[in-house]
Every structure is written in C-alpha cells, then in structure tokens.
Amino acid sequence: MKKTLTLSLAVAMALSLCACGSEKTSTPNYESNESAAVSEKLTPADQLLEDLKGTYDELFTVICDEKYDQIWLDKCEAFVGKDMAESAAEMLKSSCTATIYGEDAVNAYTNAEDMRFDCYFINGVKQFVFNGSNISGIDDSGKKLFEHEYKFVKDFSFGGMMDGYLYETTDNDAGEFKYFLMMPDTPATTYHTEFRYGSDLNDLAEYSKGAYAYWLAAGIPANCGEKMIEDCIGLFVEENLSEAAEEEEKTAA
C-alpha cells in the first residue's frame, strides 16, 4: 500500500514531540565540547550543563536555510515518497517556525490544525552561551544581555510530555531569565538542545496556555558542521514522519 501523509496527522505528530525531536540513546561520533558519559562526580542535571558548554544559534534558523532544501526533500522522500516529499518538508518546517507564542498563540490557534510551535529564542537573545553553571545571552549587536549563575532546583515536566531539569539563579535582576528548563538533549545525542526560560514556573510547565504557550527554544552549536546539520534534519524528519506514516497506514488499512 502506498504511503500517504495528511497534514493534520503530521502536524499532530510534530506537536506531540514538541516539534523538536526527543533524545536518542545512541551517541554520534562527533568532535564536540561535551562528554558522552555521565561523570561519577556530577549529578545528571549538573552533567547536562557541562555537556552543553558552547555557543548556540537558533536551530531552525540554521536548518531551514534554503541551501538545505534538498536535504529536507531527500529525508522526507524516504518516508512519504517523492510526490509528498515537498509538502511534508514544508509542513514540518512550518510546525516549528511560528513567530507568535503566549496569549497571541492561544488566541490564534482556535483550530487544532492551525497549531504551531515557536522554537526561536525570545526576549532579544541572538545567541546563548552555556558555560557550566554560567548561562549568558547575546543580542544581535553582540552585546551581552544577561549573565547569571544557575543551580539545579528539581526535575521538571513540560506539559506532561517532556521531562527536564529546572535551574534557577538567585540574582535579583534576572527578570525573564530567572529560570531555565533544560531538556536532556545535547549535540552529542540529538545534534541540538531544547529549553525554556522565564520568570513564571506555572507558565513554564504549560505548553498550550500562559505566557510561554506554544514556545520551546531550540539551539544548535554555532560552530556546527554540515554533517551535524544533515543529521539533525534527518532525525527530526524520522521522528515525525515515521510514526505518522505508520499511523496513517493503519488508519487506511
């Protein structure tokens, strides 16, 4: 039976994965600034910050550059066929490149098929720099917007779908950078990182309501190579289209 893929099913799959993929157990053989194994001297939460050391650009700004269009088509074709590859690629890109979040998104997404995620950096950040427990942000002019020391607080769930680690700074001037909710993804496991930051813990725990609704930042190392970019696109496509195509086949059977 020929595989087909409906837009609504694919979008539902993308949103169920929070649009950005989930952690794999295998570890690619990349030269990176992170350790593949958890140190016996560090907790998993502290090890994650060590593994994330580096400077990060917005994931989807990088991988959605038109020069990677053919990679998207090739990866999608493997799951949905040549005829559907272009529409599948555009659908997947669209599902995580919204430019609204929070109450604007809640008001806009009255239809389930319209729902999308904003996976960009917010509050003026162009790049994030992770240096162990020190996290800082840089704006598009190269100016440092913030820099604080963060300490692990507790395990934390995002919308009941993704489990991560919550970190907090005690600096009184942190504002919207008071808390960081970090997912376990790292460049050495899923070629990227996912996180949220803000000042309201209740809203940080929600994905479809509150100040951060339909938003989950995704980053990729600023010094990433072409191989990492291709692999990241491939993983994103595989996680979304493989399960969606299988479900579609079951429905059609």
Side-chain angles (χ1 to χ4, degrees):
M1 181 182 297
K2 181 180 178 182
K3 289 185 179 181
T4 59
L5 186 69
T6 64
L7 178 63
S8 60
L9 177 58
V11 168
M13 289 302 303
L15 292 179
S16 72
L17 292 168
C18 289
C20 304
S22 60
E23 186 173 8
K24 293 283 187 181
T25 56
S26 60
T27 301
N29 184 23
Y30 283 114
E31 290 184 9
S32 70
N33 51 14
E34 70 177 286
S35 167
V38 176
S39 169
E40 294 180 357
K41 298 180 180 179
L42 296 176
T43 65
D46 289 336
Q47 184 67 46
L48 177 62
L49 293 184
E50 287 298 310
D51 291 345
L52 288 174
K53 281 185 175 180
T55 301
Y56 291 81
D57 291 329
E58 292 174 329
L59 172 64
F60 288 99
T61 296
V62 174
I63 67 175
C64 289
D65 188 296
E66 63 181 10
K67 66 182 178 180
Y68 301 119
D69 283 353
Q70 190 60 49
I71 294 176
W72 280 93
L73 291 176
D74 292 343
K75 300 297 184 182
C76 288
E77 183 178 341
F79 294 98
V80 300
K82 187 174 182 179
D83 292 343
M84 291 288 295
E86 184 174 358
S87 60
E90 290 306 311
M91 176 274 300
L92 287 178
K93 294 177 188 179
S94 176
S95 70
C96 45
T97 54
T99 55
I100 58 172
Y101 65 95
E103 292 303 319
D104 289 340
V106 173
N107 294 332
Y109 301 149
T110 56
N111 188 320
E113 292 190 1
D114 295 332
M115 292 188 295
R116 303 166 59 199
F117 261 77
D118 181 338
C119 291
Y120 297 115
F121 301 160
I122 62 174
N123 298 325
V125 179
K126 179 69 173 180
Q127 288 185 318
F128 278 96
V129 180
F130 292 92
N131 186 18
S133 62
N134 182 279
I135 303 175
S136 59
I138 302 170
D139 67 15
D140 56 6
S141 67
K143 178 183 177 182
K144 187 176 291 186
L145 286 176
F146 77 93
E147 181 176 11
H148 305 293
E149 291 289 327
Y150 291 84
K151 184 176 181 180
F152 172 66
V153 178
K154 61 180 179 179
D155 294 343
F156 201 80
S157 178
F158 165 46
M161 298 184 298
M162 300 178 70
D163 296 326
Y165 303 112
L166 179 67
Y167 305 85
E168 178 183 8
T169 180
T170 57
D171 292 348
N172 293 326
D173 62 345
E176 285 301 308
F177 304 103
K178 180 176 179 58
Y179 298 105
F180 270 78
L181 171 58
M182 307 297 303
M183 304 307 162
D185 298 272
T186 68
T189 55
T190 58
Y191 323 110
H192 75 298
T193 182
E194 301 172 7
F195 54 97
R196 284 185 140 193
Y197 49 95
S199 59
D200 190 307
L201 285 181
N202 290 329
D203 284 351
L204 283 174
E206 300 288 347
Y207 87 92
S208 60
K209 63 181 181 180
Y212 316 112
Y214 300 106
W215 168 69
L216 176 66
I220 192 168
N223 63 350
C224 66
E226 297 296 296
K227 182 65 165 61
M228 180 178 283
I229 291 172
E230 180 177 354
D231 287 344
C232 188
I233 294 172
L235 176 62
F236 180 57
V237 170
E238 177 185 358
E239 288 186 330
N240 285 276
L241 294 190
S242 61
E243 294 186 38
E246 290 174 3
E247 188 64 28
E248 185 82 350
E249 278 195 335
K250 291 179 181 178
T251 303

